């Protein structure tokens, strides 16, 4: 078996169309919707399949760098979260092919679901310092928009939060009441593929007086800045499994907040998060693990360390018609290892 790696999604698709490889995992929703109308698909030589799965997707977020003074106030982070219009993005850009991630453990039983269970409440109540009431009693809910691009309600709430945090809107620009500096931050990326949803986000922020500098740079410069924590906001995915372990320390523990080699991109430094992570080594059952990870999920979500992105519950696969597969496919891993080449 040969595996081909491409640096560009479109180049990979064109290679597949010309029989450069037999199986193509499509990661671009727009391509899946519109780019498979070529002759080999129409006459059946290439098949399109969506394969459901229950694999842990990972924590995909726009992470705030809370080491920056600008993002230390949770009200500021919450206000910016309100201005990302996921419903419009999914409808217009992704053609309703994704699900919003409401968790650091999406597409698995490890994420927070609805209100905390009695076991979660007991665990959270045992930790110090005491947590605000919403975390221990309410479900975490991201804002849901109408999807038509109008954010009047979200704008009012965001401006109210920013006013409480010490910002005033003057001449369509948010100004800090103490420093008299405008609200400006930078979002860094390595590809223009994200333009489609980051530029509308930038426009939404401008409507409440926030300037988001959107900078696309080469990979070496990006990773140098990421490793030195020289960024305001980035998009990253933290890989997750159905049996999480010590990698969660690297993602969320305070000891890793100022370690530039870690994946604690947001600079998370929270005593309750640390206590929950310490208990990770003490769990003795799947139920205890779920109670622990769901409690951790709630504390992370309610602190708005990042804006949750989206995930898919299936894989989009196109392949030349030369494969067979078993009737029952595995749910918790990619199924390609169970396929065979037809005679």
């Amino acid at each position: 078996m040969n595996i081909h790696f491409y640096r560009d999604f479109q180049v990979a698709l064109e290679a597949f169309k010309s029989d450069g490889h037999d199986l193509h995992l499509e990661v671009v929703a727009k391509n899946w919707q519109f780019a498979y109308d070529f002759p080999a698909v129409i006459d059946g030589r290439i098949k399109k399949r969506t394969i459901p799965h229950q694999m842990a997707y990972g924590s995909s977020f726009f992470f705030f760098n809370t080491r920056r003074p600008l993002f230390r106030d949770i009200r500021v982070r919450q206000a910016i979260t309100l201005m990302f219009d996921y419903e419009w993005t999914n409808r217009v850009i992704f053609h309703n092919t994704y699900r919003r991630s409401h968790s650091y453990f999406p597409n698995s039983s490890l994420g927070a679901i609805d209100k905390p269970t009695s076991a979660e409440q007991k665990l959270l109540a045992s930790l110090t310092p005491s947590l605000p009431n919403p975390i221990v009693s309410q479900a975490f809910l991201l804002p849901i928009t109408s999807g038509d691009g109008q954010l009047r309600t979200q704008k009012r709430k965001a401006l109210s939060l920013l006013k409480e945090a010490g910002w005033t809107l003057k001449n369509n620009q948010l100004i800090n009441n103490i420093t008299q500096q405008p609200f400006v931050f930078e979002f860094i990326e390595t590809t223009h593929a994200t333009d489609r949803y980051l530029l509308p986000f930038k426009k939404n922020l401008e409507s409440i007086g926030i300037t988001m500098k959107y900078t696309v740079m080469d990979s070496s410069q990006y990773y140098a800045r990421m490793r030195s924590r020289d960024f305001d906001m980035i998009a990253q995915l933290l890989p997750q499994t159905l049996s999480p372990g010590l990698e969660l320390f690297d993602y969320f523990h305070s000891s890793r907040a100022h370690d530039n080699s870690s994946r604690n991109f947001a600079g998370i430094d929270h005593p309750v998060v640390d206590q929950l992570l310490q208990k990770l080594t003490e769990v003795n059952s799947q139920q205890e693990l779920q109670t622990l990870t769901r409690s951790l999920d709630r504390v992370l979500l309610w602190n708005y360390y990042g804006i949750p992105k989206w995930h898919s519950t299936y894989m989009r696969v196109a392949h030349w018609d030369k494969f067979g597969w078993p009737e029952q496919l595995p749910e918790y891993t990619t199924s390609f290892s169970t396929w065979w080449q037809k005679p």
Side-chain angles (χ1 to χ4, degrees), residues 127-302:
L127 305 173
T128 54
S130 297
L131 294 166
N133 184 58
I135 299 180
V136 297
S137 63
Q138 298 177 24
F140 177 83
L141 298 174
L142 286 164
I144 298 175
T145 70
S146 59
D148 60 1
Q150 302 298 318
L151 298 176
R152 294 184 184 89
T153 302
Q154 287 76 17
K155 288 178 185 179
R156 284 195 298 270
K157 187 172 181 180
L159 286 169
S160 176
L161 287 164
L162 290 162
K163 184 178 180 181
E164 291 176 13
W167 295 87
T168 301
L169 189 62
K170 297 178 181 178
N171 299 320
N172 297 319
Q173 176 70 66
L174 271 178
I175 303 296
N176 187 274
N177 295 341
I178 297 174
T179 66
Q180 293 300 302
Q181 295 298 308
F183 197 126
V184 180
F185 74 94
E186 184 183 29
F187 196 120
I188 62 172
E189 258 293 357
T190 60
T191 172
H192 282 286
T194 56
D195 289 0
R196 293 182 302 152
Y197 52 82
L198 286 181
L199 291 178
F201 182 34
K202 171 182 168 71
K203 184 177 180 181
N204 289 343
L205 290 170
E206 287 173 353
S207 71
I208 60 169
I210 294 176
T211 299
M212 184 183 91
K213 295 181 179 179
Y214 172 45
T215 306
V216 179
M217 59 189 66
D218 64 73
S219 296
S220 60
Q221 184 182 4
Y222 174 86
Y223 287 109
R225 287 188 58 179
M226 188 177 72
R227 283 192 293 268
S228 63
R229 304 305 192 234
D230 181 19
F231 64 86
D232 296 322
M233 202 170 187
I234 56 172
Q236 281 292 318
L237 184 143
L238 304 175
Q240 298 286 8
T241 71
L242 296 175
S243 181
L246 295 180
E247 73 277 3
L248 297 186
F249 281 76
D250 194 46
Y251 300 164
F252 308 128
H253 198 273
S254 63
S255 64
R256 310 294 279 162
H258 299 285
D259 182 343
N260 291 354
S261 66
S262 79
R263 292 191 179 185
N264 188 342
F265 301 120
I268 298 168
D269 184 352
H270 196 293
V272 170
V273 170
D274 288 355
Q275 291 171 69
L276 288 168
L277 290 172
Q278 292 297 336
K279 291 179 179 294
L280 187 64
T281 59
E282 303 170 8
V283 296
N284 296 307
S285 67
Q286 183 66 19
Q287 184 59 54
E288 287 183 10
L289 178 63
Q290 288 180 355
T291 297
L292 182 63
T293 55
R294 290 174 181 177
S295 299
L296 175 64
D297 200 18
R298 295 184 194 282
V299 178
L300 293 171
L301 289 167
W302 279 99

Side-chain angles (χ1 to χ4, degrees), residues 10 13 16 24-37 41 46-51 94-95 97-98 314-319:
Q10 293 308 123
L13 177 58
F16 171 68
H24 185 71
L25 188 62
E26 183 57 73
V27 297
V28 180
K30 183 179 180 181
N31 283 349
W32 192 250
Q33 192 79 6
F34 299 111
Y36 288 83
D37 57 354
V41 175
I46 286 179
K47 304 294 185 183
K48 290 175 66 181
R49 298 189 63 212
T50 55
I51 305 175
F94 298 140
H95 311 285
T97 56
Y98 290 111
Y314 55 85
M315 293 178 288
R316 295 181 290 251
V317 178
H319 61 87

Side-chain angles (χ1 to χ4, degrees), residues 100-135:
R100 185 77 188 268
S101 296
H102 293 263
S103 170
Y104 281 79
F105 306 93
N107 202 41
S108 80
S109 62
L110 302 176
I113 302 172
D114 300 323
K115 295 180 180 180
T117 63
S118 58
E120 291 172 59
Q121 290 178 335
K122 183 178 179 180
L123 174 59
L124 291 169
S126 71
L127 305 173
T128 54
S130 297
L131 294 166
N133 184 58
I135 299 180

Side-chain angles (χ1 to χ4, degrees), residues 32-101:
W32 192 250
Q33 192 79 6
F34 299 111
Y36 288 83
D37 57 354
F38 50 94
V41 175
I42 295 170
D43 63 28
R45 286 175 294 147
I46 286 179
K47 304 294 185 183
K48 290 175 66 181
R49 298 189 63 212
T50 55
I51 305 175
H53 67 80
Q54 295 183 39
M55 293 185 292
Y57 185 81
S59 309
S60 185
F61 278 72
F62 301 143
F63 284 110
F64 298 104
N65 185 354
T66 62
R67 305 169 191 85
R68 302 285 212 214
L70 190 62
F71 291 137
R72 286 177 187 161
D73 193 314
I74 189 174
R75 293 168 295 190
V76 170
R77 304 196 297 269
Q78 186 178 357
I80 293 177
T81 299
L82 284 164
M83 298 311 294
F84 182 74
D85 191 345
Y86 167 76
E87 283 70 30
W88 180 90
T89 302
N90 195 36
R91 180 180 67 83
V92 175
I93 297 176
F94 298 140
H95 311 285
N96 291 316
T97 56
Y98 290 111
R99 291 187 182 181
R100 185 77 188 268
S101 296

